[in-house]
Amino acid sequence: MLSDTLVLWYSTQLRGSSVDPPTLVLRASAPGFAGPKLKPVIATAGGCNQSTPWWADSFHANDMFYLEIHSVSIEVGPSNDGAVGIFWNVAQQTSLRDVAI
């Protein structure tokens, strides 16, 4: 159960079981996810939690390497109209596999 954005920093692997993937759930009416401003449930470190908005291109490139999300589901609870599943601002050697939102 998540109540805020899960930030993945460089060299992070978020892996579930390929047979029975776990589900990460954004709780209903989570603060900051109501909209109209968009907010990601999972975000890479590039652009997130910095002085600029998470979608801006002012980030440190070293925060964007070796990231993986494999075999997980993401569920957005009710009353989270501004929720975006994944903000994937990455560089090299990254992968998304078997992810359902």
Side-chain angles (χ1 to χ4, degrees):
M1 183 69 68
L2 300 171
S3 59
D4 204 352
T5 300
L6 176 62
V7 179
L8 302 180
W9 291 90
Y10 67 93
S11 196
T12 298
Q13 297 179 2
L14 180 60
R15 291 179 177 247
S17 167
S18 60
V19 176
D20 188 17
T23 300
L24 302 173
V25 179
L26 178 63
R27 75 175 176 92
S29 303
F33 288 92
K37 187 176 177 182
L38 299 177
K39 186 173 179 178
V41 177
I42 296 177
T44 55
C48 193
N49 288 344
Q50 297 181 19
S51 59
T52 57
W54 58 269
W55 60 86
D57 285 334
S58 75
F59 47 81
H60 299 99
N62 289 339
D63 293 338
M64 304 178 346
F65 292 96
Y66 310 112
L67 290 156
E68 297 179 355
I69 301 177
H70 294 192
S71 303
V72 297
S73 295
I74 300 168
E75 182 179 315
V76 177
S79 300
N80 291 313
D81 295 337
V84 174
I86 299 174
F87 177 67
W88 195 246
N89 189 13
V90 295
Q92 301 165 354
Q93 297 178 337
T94 66
S95 60
L96 288 169
R97 293 187 181 137
D98 191 25
V99 176
I101 301 172

